[in-house]
Amino acid sequence: MKHYKEYIEILKEELVPAMGCTEPIAVAYCAALARKTLGETPDKVKVFASANIIKNVKSVVVPNTGGLRGIEAAAAAGIVAGDATAELQVLSKITPEDVTKISEYLASADITVEQSPRDYIFDIEVVAEKTADVGSAETGREAIVEIIGHHTNVVKILKDGETIRMESFKEQTDMGTDRSILSVEEIVEFADHVDIEDVRETLQRQIDYNTAIAEEGLRGDWGANIGSVLLKAYGNEVYNRAKAYAAAGSDARMSGCELPVVINSGSGNQGMTASLPVIVYAEDMKVSEEKLFRSLVVSNLVTIHLKTGIGRLSAYCGATAAGCGAGAGITYLQGGKYRDVAHTIVNSIAIASGMICDGAKASCAAKIASAVEAGLLGVNMWENGSQFYGGDGIVVKGVENTIKNIGTLASVGMRETDATIIGMMIEKAPKK
C-alpha cells in the first residue's frame, strides 16, 4: 500500500509509554530539563503555562509525589527528582526519600505560575534561577526551557542568556510523520495487510501496560471508582466490561497510580479508551492474537485520525474520539470491512460529540465510560443495519467529511467554549 511505512511510524510515534496524566508530566519534564541545564537545584522557579495546560493540570494527582496536585507540584517533582532523559516517564524513578524532598522543596523554594503570554494552545516555559549568595561577587544563574505544541517538543533551551536550542514552531506541526495522509479506507487496508511483526512490540506494550493499570483500577480504591461501580451496577457482560476496564484505568491514572500507560494522541486516557474495549472484546470472542493486533491497528489509527483535526488540547473531550476508535476496532474485530467501520465511526460521532473537556480529574473515568458506550452503540447500530445519514446534524455524506466537521467543531467552533470553561476553572468566568 502507498503509505505503509508512514502508518508504521505514526503508530510508533503516538503509542508511547507515559506515567501519570501527560500534561503535569510535561511540566515535570520541562522542569527537569531546566534543572539539568542549570546544573544545580534552583531556588526560584517561574512556570508560564497556556490556559489549556493550567486546565489539565489543576485537579489531577502528580504520580510519585504522595498525592500532590497542580503545576507547582509537577515542577517541584521534576526539579528535585526528575529524570530529564526519560521524557514522559520523567517521574518513574522517584524514591520514598525523594517524595519527602519534593514536599520540602515546595515549602522552601519560590515557585510561581503564570498564564503564558503567547498564543499557543499547548505551551510550557520553565525559568529556573539560582540566586547569588548574599555578599558574593558572582551573579545569579538562569536556565530557560520551553515546550510548545506537544508534550516532548522542546523548542527552546537557554543557559545564562546563551542559546543552546532555539527552534521555530507553528501550531500542529513538528509532529513527525504527516498525519494528513490518514483515511479510514486506507487504515482498514493497512490493518488487513500489515506484517504483524512490524507492529507487535508497539501493540503488545499497549496491551500489557493498559490492561495492568485497568486491573489495578478495579482492585484498588482510586478516584470515584467508576470501573468498579459499573461492574457492580450492570454486571459482567462483555458490553459492560469494555466500559468498566477503560474507566478503571482512568480511575487509577487520574488519582496518581504509578503504573505507566501507553498513550494515544498525547493522552493516556485516550490510549486506554482506544485499546481496552477492543482487548476485552477480543478476549471474550477468543480471537487469535493476530486478529487482536489488526483490530488495535484500526482503533488506534482511527483515534489518531480524528484527533489530528481536533488538536492535542481543546474544549472537545478527546475520549469521545477514542470511543469512536474503539467502536471501529470492535467492528473490525467482528468481521467488519471498510464500509462497516465507516458507518460505525459516523454513528459514534453523531451520538456523543457534545462532551466537553474540563481538565484532567476523577470524572474523566465517567466520561470515558460514556465515550465507550457511544462507540459500542455505533457498533450495535451497524450490526442491526441502522445508521445516521448526511444531514443528521453535523453528519454529512462521507466519513471523511464528517471527520473534517468534527475537527472544525473542536478546533474552531469550541474556542469560546474552551475560554469559558477555563475561566470557570480559574474563577474568572465572564459575567452575563
Side-chain angles (χ1 to χ4, degrees):
M1 59 174 284
K2 183 179 179 181
H3 296 116
Y4 184 92
K5 290 182 179 179
E6 289 90 341
Y7 275 43
I8 295 290
E9 288 305 309
I10 289 171
L11 286 170
K12 289 180 178 179
E13 289 166 3
E14 295 282 12
L15 305 188
V16 296
M19 189 184 74
C21 178
T22 46
E23 278 70 60
I25 291 299
V27 172
Y29 170 54
C30 193
L33 194 52
R35 189 250 182 252
K36 181 180 179 181
T37 302
L38 187 65
E40 57 187 320
T41 301
D43 47 30
K44 187 174 183 180
V45 179
K46 299 176 186 176
V47 181
F48 298 92
S50 58
N52 283 81
I53 295 294
I54 294 171
K55 177 178 77 170
N56 268 24
V57 183
K58 178 177 180 288
S59 303
V60 71
V61 174
V62 182
N64 274 341
T65 63
L68 299 175
R69 300 171 188 261
I71 290 177
E72 294 91 340
I79 286 166
V80 172
D83 178 2
T85 66
E87 296 191 338
L88 294 184
Q89 297 193 78
V90 60
L91 303 184
S92 62
K93 297 178 181 178
I94 291 179
T95 66
E97 292 77 16
D98 290 331
V99 175
T100 301
K101 291 178 182 177
I102 291 166
S103 294
E104 292 172 348
Y105 183 73
L106 265 174
S108 63
D110 179 8
I111 304 177
T112 58
V113 177
E114 296 181 27
Q115 187 167 329
S116 170
R118 293 166 291 276
D119 199 29
Y120 296 114
I121 292 172
F122 193 119
D123 186 20
I124 303 165
E125 182 181 75
V126 173
V127 181
E129 300 178 26
K130 183 68 174 178
T131 55
D133 294 331
V134 176
S136 171
E138 296 182 0
T139 57
R141 302 179 64 208
E142 179 185 78
I144 302 174
V145 176
E146 185 172 17
I147 292 173
I148 299 178
H150 59 94
H151 300 77
T152 57
N153 190 46
V154 179
V155 299
K156 180 170 69 178
I157 302 176
L158 305 178
K159 182 177 181 179
D160 297 330
E162 181 180 336
T163 300
I164 297 173
R165 178 188 297 182
M166 184 69 73
E167 299 174 4
S168 62
F169 182 80
K170 292 183 180 179
E171 198 72 19
Q172 302 307 324
T173 64
D174 199 24
M175 288 295 297
T177 308
D178 183 10
R179 273 53 167 168
S180 69
I181 64 173
L182 292 168
S183 71
V184 176
E185 185 170 13
E186 195 166 353
I187 287 169
V188 174
E189 180 188 357
F190 175 74
D192 286 342
H193 297 103
V194 63
D195 183 341
I196 295 301
E197 294 309 312
D198 287 339
V199 296
R200 178 182 296 280
E201 181 180 357
T202 301
L203 295 178
Q204 188 62 58
R205 182 172 56 196
Q206 183 180 54
I207 293 166
D208 294 342
Y209 283 21
N210 293 3
T211 299
I213 198 169
E215 290 174 347
E216 172 57 30
L218 292 172
R219 273 194 306 268
D221 181 14
W222 296 100
N225 294 306
I226 299 300
S228 299
V229 168
L230 284 167
L231 292 179
K232 289 175 184 176
Y234 302 113
N236 204 43
E237 292 298 318
V238 64
Y239 187 88
N240 192 50
R241 283 205 318 279
K243 295 184 287 183
Y245 266 69
S250 182
D251 284 325
R253 183 171 170 272
M254 293 292 96
S255 299
C257 179
E258 296 162 12
L259 291 174
V261 302
V262 168
I263 66 177
N264 182 306
S265 302
S267 164
N269 279 344
Q270 289 160 202
M272 292 184 292
T273 305
S275 60
L276 285 164
V278 180
I279 295 166
V280 169
Y281 264 82
E283 183 181 67
D284 186 77
M285 294 168 62
K286 296 179 171 56
V287 301
S288 67
E289 178 187 67
E290 178 183 341
K291 187 67 174 178
L292 169 57
F293 283 158
R294 295 189 189 281
S295 301
L296 285 172
V297 164
V298 171
S299 65
N300 281 298
L301 286 175
V302 166
T303 299
I304 295 164
H305 186 25
L306 280 159
K307 280 291 291 178
T308 297
I310 293 168
R312 281 312 208 223
L313 300 174
S314 75
Y316 185 95
C317 177
T320 306
C324 291
I330 291 168
T331 295
Y332 185 89
L333 188 71
Q334 295 179 343
K337 304 302 181 185
Y338 159 64
R339 288 181 61 82
D340 308 309
V341 169
H343 285 317
T344 298
I345 292 169
V346 172
N347 290 342
S348 303
I349 286 172
I351 293 165
S353 285
M355 193 151 59
I356 63 162
C357 172
D358 54 344
K361 68 272 180 242
S363 67
C364 288
K367 293 189 177 190
I368 284 172
S370 297
V372 175
E373 170 70 32
L376 293 175
L377 180 53
V379 175
N380 289 335
M381 289 176 64
W382 157 67
E383 289 178 330
N384 288 279
S386 179
Q387 67 183 86
F388 297 113
Y389 295 92
D392 291 338
I394 59 173
V395 172
V396 291
K397 187 174 182 180
V399 64
E400 300 301 334
N401 292 325
T402 299
I403 289 173
K404 280 183 182 178
N405 270 5
I406 288 299
T408 302
L409 171 67
S411 64
V412 179
M414 298 182 77
R415 285 177 184 168
E416 188 61 33
T417 301
D418 203 27
T420 302
I421 291 168
I422 292 165
M424 289 176 174
M425 292 183 68
I426 59 177
E427 301 180 343
K428 291 181 181 178
K431 295 180 180 179
K432 291 184 178 179

